[in-house]
Amino acid sequence: MSFSHPILPPAIQVPSFILALAWLWLASASPLQANPLTPIHHKLEIELNPDTHAMTGLDTINLPPSHRANSSVSFILNPQLTIDRVEFNGKLVPVPPPSEGQTVQPGSTRRVIEIPLPPLDGPDQPAVLTLTYHGQIDDSPTASGGLRFVRPDDTNGHIGPNGVYLTYETFWFPTLEQTLSTYDLTLRLPSDWEAITQGREIANAVTDGHRTTQWRVNLPSEALTLAANHFVVQKQEWKGIQLATYLYPEDAHLATQYIEATIDYLQMYTELLGPYPFTKFAVVENFFPSGLGLPSFTLLGEGVIRRGYTQPYSLGHEIVHSWFGNSVFNNFAQGNWVEGLTTYLSNYYYDEARGNQQEAFNTRRRMVYEYNLYAEPDKEYPVRAFHHKETRLDNAIGYQKTAMAFHMLRQEMGDVAFFKGVRGIIQEGTGTYLEWNDLLRIFSKAAERDLGWFFHQWIDQPGAPTLDIQDILIQEDPTQEGRFTLTGTILQDEPVFTIRLPLHLDLQGERIHDAVLNVDRAAQPFTLDLPANPTTLAIDPEHHLLLGLHRAQIPPMLNRWETDTRRILIRPQTMTTDEAQSLETLLQRLETQPGIETILSDDPVISESASYLVIGSSAQRLLESSSFNSCEKSIDMHPGHISIQEQTFEGPEMAFLISCAHPRDANHTVTFFFGWSPDAVTPVSRLLFFYGWDSYLVFKQGKVIARGMFQPVHSAREIIRHSP
């Protein structure tokens, strides 16, 4: 089972906090590796009553040979569920007291139950355990703190009139840990409800005011997740795979859009990765914000569904999890490689493979910037130590850095060997667990050489190479007119990485020259022979490497303000009622963040060494004044209209988010948020921090109509000054 969050790319046109919602898979609680050849089979008969949050269950468990010789069996069951009857091979077994030998923590869904087993007549005798139980599951989803794409709404399971969500953490049936299982499920629920789970539906009928649906899960799985609601179901067959949507009636018209997008992704990824592991894939609408990738379906919050999030970083991401996470399992106790590889193949590689080079570049750039802004050196940890995401730091390491590590591994190996390794993961790992050491072995085999050094520096140690070029000298070749030699020294901070460093040079006569240097020392001299006089030199301008950057090397953007050690908010001292209402949601969010210094000023000045967020009429006045000119080359500001990068915007429906360099300290930034009317500000204000990756964004009636990036003060592109 894979719970994941795709990154939010720069090109999205609407707020996208939803997609992440998810992704809070508490991985440390997931079952550990078991023998994949001996899964446990559950025959479940469940009845749900959403109005009363109630369920009754009957689970017939066929214990494998590894359990038959044991004198007892232990399993986990939600403490809100009461066991009514236990049988072993048809004979009654005493029901253990609920609290015998343990204390259940308040709010916990885990209660360990141990049942003594009578001895078997022989080693080949079947061992069938049958349990009947009932209770209520009512952990209503609650909003978690912080950005929702980092942490979703919190729930361990819910049965209610608004929807049903039962997952691994619910322990809604007797769960034997450290096992994989197959299932037959018969489910009874109100007639106007539909349900979805893993595997394939084999029957669905309505009698006596109730719906009975039957499901078969033949592929071993870590857990069983069930969702139910007032769904409108649409199905379509594609190459032997059943495609389906389970949407609310008001969103049922989106079914075709989601099915067509699913076909597009399956076409690409079955060609790249091999046969799709399941017999169905369904897009399911959820009653709380979520983005869950589950075996044979994805569970997306209604906010996601209604915005048509069929992009690679959303629907595509969850489809790739069908292979990685839901077919090849991840032993989270040994680290999480699944999210990084899935992010690389969906959020990034889809665009590259389809020829969307600008989008691919934007994604690489964002991965590098996000890592550098959120993985602070004193808090960073190695990729191998990532298990699941709870913070922006976790996201920067487990998703962005890990995805870039796979990108760099691909460059090291070459496409043929790399994708041979990716398919080797599937061929070897389907139905079992793999960890980082397994990936090292598989990729080394595909590359026909030991890649231990690569995994050591990118997976086992924290950090990224921080580079500088010094002692640049250009000399004209006295023997060949128009030929030049450029020499210099590449300096690398400790620890030293072994990398292939791309260099890009602009030459006189509008010519260019690209080179790749093998760098493995703290101070490494280099020489380049050039066909013309060089004018500028850029280090990895296409962001194919994960490099450590100083803050001044990152363009101005809202997320630089959010991650600064000192943050100042400037808000108007006097506001009209309409302006105050338009900024209310934003100000409420900012009030919950610790460490923000607030200044009330109608005529602000930038005087401190800090990053500033200036909002409302205060932002307008400061940009219009002559006291602030850090953006003067890119912005021309006048009352009622503004030109950004030579494009003019005017009209009362316009709002703007603009970030500029601090006028005196390149390590800080100044961000402005304002609009030509309160109505233009209101829809952006409540979602402002989902637009943190651009230097400027222009909104019209709340929708992005223009965006772009300014150059950082200290760019990787350096002007070469010729020696006399």
Side-chain angles (χ1 to χ4, degrees):
M1 179 187 300
S2 176
F3 291 55
S4 57
H5 165 58
I7 67 168
L8 307 179
I12 56 175
Q13 297 280 309
V14 292
S16 53
F17 61 102
I18 347 276
L19 290 194
L21 307 175
W23 311 198
L24 179 61
W25 170 225
L26 294 181
S28 58
S30 117
L32 300 180
Q33 183 170 2
N35 185 346
L37 301 178
T38 56
I40 290 175
H41 184 73
H42 294 260
K43 183 179 179 182
L44 286 163
E45 298 177 32
I46 303 293
E47 182 167 352
L48 302 177
N49 188 333
D51 288 338
T52 61
H53 313 287
M55 69 172 291
T56 60
L58 171 65
D59 188 7
T60 302
I61 306 170
N62 289 277
L63 298 176
S66 58
H67 286 70
R68 291 176 187 170
N70 297 337
S71 60
S72 65
V73 61
S74 295
F75 56 84
I76 312 297
L77 189 67
N78 194 301
Q80 301 303 314
L81 300 176
T82 300
I83 298 176
D84 301 310
R85 182 183 178 91
V86 180
E87 295 181 11
F88 183 69
N89 285 346
K91 298 179 180 179
L92 285 177
V93 175
V95 177
S99 59
E100 185 176 64
Q102 65 172 308
T103 301
V104 178
Q105 298 296 323
S108 173
T109 59
R110 293 176 58 88
R111 183 179 82 225
V112 180
I113 296 175
E114 184 168 356
I115 295 178
L117 300 179
L120 296 172
D121 295 335
D124 296 329
Q125 183 185 7
V128 180
L129 183 68
T130 305
L131 299 102
T132 305
Y133 57 97
H134 76 280
Q136 293 178 309
I137 303 294
D138 185 19
D139 181 18
S140 297
T142 57
S144 59
L147 290 177
R148 281 186 164 180
F149 70 81
V150 175
R151 297 196 64 177
D153 284 6
D154 292 325
T155 176
N156 287 321
H158 178 73
I159 301 171
N162 54 338
V164 172
Y165 171 68
L166 301 174
T167 184
Y168 175 82
E169 294 152 309
T170 312
F171 296 106
W172 55 285
F173 60 89
T175 301
L176 285 77
E177 294 194 294
Q178 301 185 15
T179 65
L180 297 175
S181 298
T182 56
Y183 305 89
D184 280 300
L185 170 65
T186 300
L187 179 68
R188 180 179 165 91
L189 67 168
S191 60
D192 56 344
W193 284 61
E194 290 276 6
I196 175 109
T197 187
Q198 295 148 223
R200 194 75 176 252
E201 187 178 46
I202 58 176
N204 189 321
V206 175
T207 56
D208 300 327
H210 287 84
R211 182 180 303 277
T212 301
T213 178
Q214 293 179 300
W215 295 80
R216 181 161 295 155
V217 183
N218 290 327
L219 291 178
S221 180
E222 294 178 292
L224 189 68
T225 297
L226 172 71
N229 218 308
H230 300 281
F231 294 131
V232 174
V233 181
Q234 296 194 36
K235 298 179 180 179
Q236 176 180 329
E237 291 290 323
W238 180 80
K239 295 186 176 181
I241 303 168
Q242 183 188 85
L243 309 181
T245 56
Y246 287 68
L247 305 178
Y248 298 156
E250 59 268 31
D251 301 323
H253 64 283
L254 297 171
T256 300
Q257 175 183 347
Y258 278 95
I259 287 177
E260 289 178 351
T262 299
I263 291 173
D264 180 55
Y265 291 121
L266 286 175
Q267 184 72 55
M268 172 176 164
Y269 288 115
T270 52
E271 292 176 1
L272 181 70
L273 303 175
Y276 177 69
F278 305 101
T279 59
K280 84 162 191 302
F281 184 84
V283 176
V284 184
E285 191 166 6
N286 198 14
F287 63 96
F288 64 89
S290 64
L292 308 175
L294 301 155
S296 76
F297 72 101
T298 183
L299 192 60
L300 303 175
E302 58 186 344
V304 177
I305 292 290
R306 291 170 184 173
R307 288 180 172 89
Y309 272 51
T310 58
Q311 295 92 333
Y313 54 84
S314 56
L315 181 59
H317 186 101
E318 304 310 336
I319 287 175
V320 173
H321 269 312
S322 300
W323 285 270
F324 303 110
N326 292 327
S327 180
V328 181
F329 304 121
N330 194 151
N331 185 348
F332 291 98
Q334 301 298 324
N336 182 345
W337 56 268
V338 161
E339 292 303 345
L341 183 55
T342 300
T343 296
Y344 182 65
L345 293 177
S346 56
N347 303 37
Y348 170 73
Y349 182 70
Y350 179 88
D351 281 322
E352 182 189 313
R354 291 300 172 91
N356 301 326
Q357 297 305 323
Q358 184 60 48
E359 288 303 316
F361 166 78
N362 290 343
T363 301
R364 293 194 305 269
R365 179 177 63 183
R366 160 132 183 211
M367 288 175 172
V368 172
Y369 289 164
E370 185 159 359
Y371 165 76
N372 277 279
L373 286 178
Y374 288 97
E376 302 174 48
D378 60 333
K379 298 178 181 177
E380 188 182 0
Y381 55 82
V383 163
R384 191 183 288 271
F386 169 71
H387 300 286
H388 65 280
K389 177 173 60 179
E390 293 191 15
T391 67
R392 295 295 295 257
L393 171 64
D394 297 328
N395 188 67
I397 294 174
Y399 289 69
Q400 317 315 337
K401 180 178 181 179
T402 309
M404 283 299 296
F406 281 111
H407 184 63
M408 293 181 291
L409 179 61
R410 177 182 159 205
Q411 295 174 89
E412 176 65 31
M413 298 175 63
D415 278 12
V416 173
F418 175 77
F419 286 109
K420 180 180 179 181
V422 169
R423 288 186 287 271
I425 294 172
I426 298 167
Q427 293 161 5
E428 179 174 327
T430 296
T432 188
Y433 291 79
L434 297 182
E435 57 185 77
W436 277 114
N437 290 342
D438 296 309
L439 267 63
L440 167 59
R441 174 176 48 77
I442 291 169
F443 279 114
S444 293
K445 180 180 178 181
E448 298 182 348
R449 55 192 169 91
D450 182 19
L451 294 170
W453 64 271
F454 183 95
F455 278 70
H456 171 72
Q457 69 179 21
W458 289 113
I459 307 304
D460 295 332
Q461 72 178 20
T466 301
L467 306 177
D468 190 18
I469 298 182
Q470 293 187 358
D471 303 327
I472 293 177
L473 178 64
I474 302 167
Q475 294 178 311
E476 187 171 5
D477 189 334
T479 64
Q480 300 184 62
E481 184 178 353
R483 302 289 301 186
F484 290 81
T485 299
L486 183 150
T487 60
T489 301
I490 298 171
L491 302 180
Q492 185 175 172
D493 293 347
E494 296 288 345
V496 174
F497 285 70
T498 297
I499 57 174
R500 299 179 186 270
L501 178 64
L503 297 180
H504 176 87
L505 295 98
D506 293 319
L507 312 179
Q508 289 182 350
E510 298 184 353
R511 302 173 70 177
I512 62 173
H513 182 84
D514 291 310
V516 177
L517 304 180
N518 293 320
V519 178
D520 59 6
R521 286 180 278 173
Q524 185 153 334
F526 70 95
T527 300
L528 297 176
D529 294 322
L530 305 172
N533 199 352
T535 57
T536 64
L537 170 65
I539 298 173
D540 188 31
E542 293 297 313
H543 297 291
H544 286 292
L545 277 179
L546 183 68
L547 294 177
L549 302 176
H550 303 296
R551 294 183 71 86
Q553 294 176 297
I554 299 174
M557 58 182 68
L558 178 60
N559 281 340
R560 278 191 56 184
W561 176 85
E562 189 177 37
T563 56
D564 209 326
T565 54
R566 187 180 180 195
R567 297 180 293 166
I568 296 176
L569 168 68
I570 298 181
R571 51 178 292 189
Q573 186 168 19
T574 57
M575 291 189 287
T576 65
T577 300
D578 288 344
E579 182 181 14
Q581 290 177 346
S582 71
L583 295 171
E584 182 179 5
T585 304
L586 174 61
L587 291 173
Q588 288 176 349
R589 184 189 188 284
L590 292 171
E591 288 172 358
T592 65
Q593 294 191 27
I596 298 177
E597 304 170 41
T598 301
I599 297 174
L600 302 179
S601 176
D602 293 327
D603 294 297
V605 295
I606 304 300
S607 58
E608 300 292 328
S609 182
S611 283
Y612 286 79
L613 173 59
V614 192
I615 65 175
S617 53
S618 298
Q620 287 181 245
R621 293 190 185 98
L622 182 55
L623 272 177
E624 291 171 358
S625 72
S626 59
S627 63
F628 186 87
N629 56 15
S630 291
C631 280
E632 61 181 355
K633 294 181 180 179
S634 303
I635 294 178
D636 184 18
M637 177 82 170
H638 298 281
H641 73 271
I642 184 173
S643 295
I644 307 175
Q645 304 282 50
E646 300 182 352
Q647 187 176 2
T648 300
F649 304 95
E650 57 186 338
E653 68 274 25
M654 298 284 187
F656 308 90
L657 179 63
I658 301 170
S659 296
C660 308
H662 191 288
R664 289 177 297 280
D665 190 339
N667 289 312
H668 302 295
T669 189
V670 182
T671 296
F672 302 86
F673 173 57
F674 63 98
W676 296 141
S677 70
D679 287 342
V681 168
T682 300
V684 184
S685 175
R686 63 189 180 89
L687 297 170
L688 189 67
F689 285 88
F690 299 103
Y691 298 103
W693 293 109
D694 294 278
S695 295
Y696 69 88
L697 297 105
V698 180
F699 304 87
K700 184 176 182 179
Q701 296 178 337
K703 295 184 178 181
V704 177
I705 62 170
R707 66 202 315 151
M709 195 78 80
F710 299 145
Q711 285 295 318
V713 174
H714 294 167
S715 174
R717 181 180 296 274
E718 301 291 346
I719 298 174
I720 299 175
R721 293 172 175 81
H722 294 260
S723 302

